[in-house]
Structure formats: C-alpha cells, structure tokens
Amino acid sequence: MDIDREIERLKGMHDLPGHIAVIMAGNGRWAKKRRLPRIAGHKAGRESVRVTVRTCARLGIPALSLYTFSLENWQRPSKEVKALMHFLGTVLRSEYLELKDNNIRLRAMGRLDLLPGGTKKTLDETIASLSSNDGMILNLCLSYGGRAEIVDAARKIAAAAASGGLDPGSLDEDTFAGYLYSPDIPDPDLLIRTSGEMRISNFLLWQLAYTEIVVTDVLWPDFREEHIFAAIDEYLGRERRFGDIGGRGEK
Ligand code: IPE
Ligand code: IPE
Ligand code: MG
C-alpha cells in the first residue's frame, strides 16, 4: 500500500473526523499467542501508537484520544501495573523529540493524582515542554474512567452551586460539559476499538453519545496505517443522523 497516496486521497475528503478516540485493546492476547508475558504485548503496542499518532497528524486530524490506562486497570496484578507505569515514562521521554517535530500538543486526562510520582513528573514535564506546539492534540486518557469523570464534574458543579457561583436551575448540557476534564476538545466523531470486543469499557461515556463506532478484529500491536485508513473510510460511508431522519428521508 502506498501510504503517502492514501494520505493524499483522504486529505481531499470532506468531513474527516475532527476527533478520533481509540480503545487500544488486545496487547495481552497478542503476547499470549506468542507465549510471551503480557508486558511484551504492551511494548509491541508502542509502534502502533507511533504509527497512529504520526498518521493522524499527517491527515490533519485536530485531536486524537488514546485510552492508555483505565481506572479499572489499577486492579491488574501489581507486576503488570508497575511495568506499564515504568514503560509509559520511558516512552514519553524517548518520543519527546518526535512529538516536538510533529508539532503535537500533549494532554492527559483522568485521575492523574493516582499515578506514581516519577511517571506524573515525566508526564508534566513532557506536556510543559511541548506547550508551544500548536498542531494535533494528543490526549492520553490515563487512570481514566468515564463514570469517574462525570462524578468529578458533578462534584465541581455541586461545589459551585453551594458557594452561590452557579444557579442549579441554569444547569444545562453545555454547562455540564464545561466541567468535564477537557471541555475544549470536541466530542469524538469516530471511536476505534481493536481486538474485536464490542464494548466501551468506561471510556468517554458522556462524549461518545453520537460517536460513530468502528471495531476491528486486529490486535492493537498489529494495528497499522491500513487499519486507520479502513476505519476512516468506514466512518466516511456512515450517515450520521443525530436522531433526525437523515438526508434521504422526507421532511
Ligand atoms: C490494552 O490491552 C492495553 C491496556 C489495557 C493497558 P490489554 O492489556 O487489555 O490486552 P488484552 O485485551 O487483555 O488482550
Ligand atoms: C480498556 O481495555 C482500557 C484500555 C484500553 C486502556 P480493557 O482491557 O481494560 O477493558 P476490558 O476489560 O476488555 O473491558
Ligand atoms: Mg483488554
């Protein structure tokens, strides 16, 4: 496949997604198939992250959210959690220049106070040192849970109401969304989940209300440019109706 040509073809399309979100699943199964430890699957997934970030940036996609570690993932065996946190720090440090060269703005959202000190420090430093970039937003959902995000918003709203800063009667969807972790990033247009499972796993529960979902059987470490192009083509072929009767219906 000629990747450059595919990128040019897609860049010529109207209505490319403004925000793509990805549930990167299947690292453990990829490793198991090879009789390797699960962490080997996470390490192999690094190249898929690199490819996805680079390709979305080249396509001019404004925002990419990656489900990197869920709140529920803290329950995994401590050996896997420790290895993942260490690996995350290593990747951030070693990918820094590539992110800088690709003009990528790095963000992170979730209960970040639960991250180990060293990982949090590396994350904060990497975000700060990329802050003058103005290209694609790479949003890492880390220690993230969709319900927790809504609860955290509700807490802030309750505090604002209690202090008299917010009239409860004025609360509407837009105001509520303004209290979520990253209110400036628009809702995802396209959600991709790898490894075939048909579930959301507590990802972006509020924001996915009208997102188009594409599930591929490919395991995350095998995910490459062709799979991104296929997901975007599938998205472009969908008719989004948002509850209305759509372009082909009678008005
Ligand atoms: C996704 O792969 C990565 C993380 C959750 C950190 P998994 O580790 O869930 O791999 P599978 O889904 O068990 O194969
Ligand atoms: C979702 O995958 C979380 C991430 C990709 C970070 P999980 O493997 O944790 O979700 P389930 O257990 O398959 O629902
Ligand atoms: Mg999984």
Side-chain angles (χ1 to χ4, degrees), residues 6-242:
E6 279 293 285
I7 287 185
E8 284 315 307
R9 176 181 70 79
L10 281 169
K11 277 172 82 174
M13 302 291 223
H14 293 293
D15 297 329
L16 280 183
H19 179 187
I20 298 179
V22 187
I23 302 178
M24 310 184 285
N27 296 352
R29 277 160 283 174
W30 185 94
K32 196 172 175 200
K33 274 188 6 190
R34 289 163 178 77
R35 297 170 189 270
L36 294 168
R38 292 178 58 86
I39 189 70
H42 299 311
K43 289 189 172 165
R46 173 183 184 164
E47 184 58 20
S48 311
V49 172
R50 218 184 259 145
V51 166
T52 303
V53 171
R54 188 176 56 217
T55 306
C56 288
R58 288 189 66 193
L59 283 166
I61 305 293
L64 171 69
S65 289
L66 298 179
Y67 203 3
T68 308
F69 192 85
S70 75
L71 265 183
E72 289 76 20
N73 289 154
W74 289 115
Q75 304 166 56
R76 292 189 178 193
S78 68
K79 197 173 147 213
E80 180 173 349
V81 171
K82 261 194 205 141
L84 267 169
M85 289 300 143
H86 179 75
F87 182 54
L88 177 65
T90 309
V91 170
L92 284 169
R93 276 189 298 272
S94 62
E95 296 299 320
Y96 164 72
L97 274 179
E98 165 117 10
L99 294 172
K100 194 157 185 84
D101 289 347
N102 284 296
N103 194 22
I104 284 162
R105 281 180 279 176
L106 187 65
R107 301 269 289 264
M109 68 181 206
R111 294 214 171 138
L112 304 177
D113 50 323
L114 298 178
L115 296 175
T119 309
K120 177 76 168 59
K121 187 164 172 275
T122 305
L123 182 67
D124 288 342
E125 286 169 0
T126 313
I127 290 173
S129 56
L130 294 169
S131 63
S132 59
N133 284 355
D134 60 4
M136 185 176 83
I137 293 177
L138 172 60
N139 182 35
L140 300 182
C141 303
L142 256 178
S143 185
Y144 175 86
R147 287 185 174 176
E149 179 177 22
I150 293 170
V151 168
D152 287 351
R155 279 191 194 153
K156 289 182 235 163
I157 290 166
S163 69
L166 177 82
D167 166 18
S170 75
L171 189 66
D172 58 15
E173 290 182 12
D174 285 343
T175 321
F176 192 98
Y179 286 89
L180 295 170
Y181 293 145
S182 295
D184 56 320
I185 304 179
D187 292 345
D189 297 299
L190 168 62
L191 171 72
I192 302 171
R193 181 167 184 143
T194 57
S195 86
E197 289 144 335
M198 302 280 185
R199 57 176 175 258
I200 298 296
S201 302
N202 202 15
F203 193 36
L204 302 175
L205 294 182
W206 175 282
Q207 297 88 337
L208 292 176
Y210 270 103
T211 301
E212 293 297 328
I213 301 178
V214 172
V215 176
T216 165
D217 284 335
V218 173
L219 303 176
W220 178 250
D222 295 325
F223 192 78
R224 290 293 177 271
E225 288 92 342
E226 61 190 288
H227 309 113
I228 303 177
F229 301 146
I232 293 177
D233 278 325
E234 185 167 340
Y235 166 83
L236 290 171
R238 301 266 180 94
E239 186 190 18
R240 302 183 78 185
R241 290 192 289 277
F242 300 97

